[in-house]
Amino acid sequence: MIKGRLAWVFWLLVVLAVLTSTATYAWVAMNSSVMTSGFELTAISDSLYLEISADNQEAKTYHKQVSFGLDHYVHDEKSKELFFVTQGNLPELGGLQVAVFYMSEHMAPGYGNPDGTYNGTGEFFVRAKSDITNGSDSFINITEKLKVGDSLVGYYHVRDAGYATHAEAGVKYYYKHARGANTFDYVCVGEYAQGEYLPRHTYWGYSFSDTMGDPKPGSMLNIIDPDEENSEYCLKKTIYIRCSEGTGDAKKLRVQSVEVAGKKNYLTDTVRVYICARSDKGEVATALYDHGEPEAFNGELLTGVLGDAQEVITVDLYVYFDGTDEDAYYRLGFLTSHSVSVTFAIDDHNYN
C-alpha cells in the first residue's frame, strides 16, 4: 500500500498577460497555482510474496515497506509551485509529422488572393509556446479570426505529413488537438528516442482559461515533461517491486485500490493518481485513477512477474490536480490536505 500525505496551500497567482503574434490575434491568459508545503510517501506490499524498495541498486533495501520521508517546502521565493495539469494519449496511428509554410510576402499570394490577402479558403496558424521544446513549436489555428481581405503575411500554413509508429531521433512530433467541431491545433509533443513506440503514448500538458471558474478543457495544450526534477505540475515518486526470493512466478500485478482521504472539499475530485509500471522485459502498463469517477478505475498492469527475485518492476507514481476538471479553479485563502493510498496486489501463489 502506498500512503501519501499532501498538504496544499492555495494562493492567488493570476496572470493577466496579453500574448500577441500579430495585430489581429491576442488572448488573455489566466492561471492559478498551488503551494506544496509537504509530501510524504510510504510503500507497503499487501502480499507475502512481494517486496518493495526505493533503491533498486541495493538488494538489502527490499522489504515489505519503504518510506520516502517528507519533502518540505517553505513559503518564500524558493518555494515549489504546483500548477494544474492534465494528460492524454497519442492516437493509435502514433505521432504526427507536419509540413510548415511561412506566409512571407512572396509565399502569401500562393495561398490567398494575388495581393497576399485571405480569400476565404484554407487554414492559417500562429506559433505558440512549447515548454517541451523550449521554443515556439506548436501552432494555433486562427482561421476563424480572419476576414476576407486580411493580410496573410506573418501567418503559417500547416499540413499533415503522415503518422509514425516509431520515432526517429531529432524529429518533432505533433498531436492534432480538436478545438470545436472543425478546428484543429497542432500541439508539439516534442522529440523521442530513436525507435520509441508512439501509438497511445502518454503526454502531459496545461492550457489557459480566460474565465475564472471555467477550466475550458478544449483550450490549446502546452506539453510539459512531468519527469523533470522539481516539476511544477505533479509530485512523482518511483518504487521497485519484485517477488521475494524462493517464490514462484506471480500473476496479474495490479493496483487493487486507490483511496483519497482527508477533509472533503471542492478540489478533492480533481485529484488524479497516474501509475506507470515497466518490466525488465520492456513491457509498459499504465493506470489512471480519477477521484471524480472512482468506479471507472481499472488497475490492471502486468500479466505476470517472474518469481524468486528474477525480475524488477519499476513503478512511477504521479499525483496531480487535473486542470480540465470543472472544479479546478482558485478560491482565496483556501487550505486543503489529503492522503493518497494505492494498494498493489497479485494473484495468490499456490504452494499446496
Side-chain angles (χ1 to χ4, degrees), residues 123 141 143-144 177-185:
E123 292 186 297
N141 193 323
T143 307
E144 63 183 14
H177 181 67
R179 180 164 46 85
N182 300 305
T183 302
F184 294 89
D185 300 322

Side-chain angles (χ1 to χ4, degrees), residues 16-167:
L16 297 175
V18 178
L19 309 178
T20 60
S21 55
T22 71
T24 60
Y25 186 66
W27 69 95
V28 176
M30 187 176 293
N31 202 2
S32 307
S33 60
V34 294
M35 176 70 70
T36 309
S37 62
F39 179 63
E40 187 175 16
L41 184 63
T42 301
I44 305 173
S45 169
D46 80 330
S47 170
L48 294 174
Y49 312 109
L50 283 181
E51 296 178 322
I52 297 178
S53 174
D55 182 7
N56 186 37
Q57 304 303 313
E58 293 288 341
K60 63 183 180 182
T61 64
Y62 278 89
H63 301 289
K64 300 304 177 187
Q65 176 175 326
V66 61
S67 177
F68 292 96
L70 178 68
D71 294 326
H72 187 66
Y73 304 92
V74 182
H75 194 146
D76 59 18
E77 67 275 4
K78 296 181 180 179
S79 296
K80 183 181 178 72
E81 296 178 42
L82 194 68
F83 293 89
F84 291 121
V85 70
T86 193
Q87 64 169 211
N89 299 99
L90 294 179
E92 294 290 350
L93 292 172
L96 177 64
Q97 298 180 53
V98 299
V100 180
F101 304 88
Y102 176 66
M103 296 294 98
S104 64
E105 292 184 358
H106 173 73
M107 288 285 289
Y111 290 84
N113 292 317
D115 61 354
T117 59
Y118 181 54
N119 63 9
T121 63
E123 292 186 297
F124 299 92
F125 300 78
V126 294
R127 285 188 175 273
K129 179 183 177 182
S130 176
D131 283 9
I132 197 70
T133 64
N134 292 317
S136 297
D137 294 297
S138 291
F139 296 90
I140 297 178
N141 193 323
I142 50 81
T143 307
E144 63 183 14
K145 303 287 185 179
L146 294 175
K147 301 185 298 294
V148 173
D150 286 347
S151 175
L152 295 178
V153 175
Y155 293 114
Y156 293 84
H157 179 67
V158 183
R159 297 177 185 170
D160 295 6
Y163 285 88
T165 57
H166 292 82

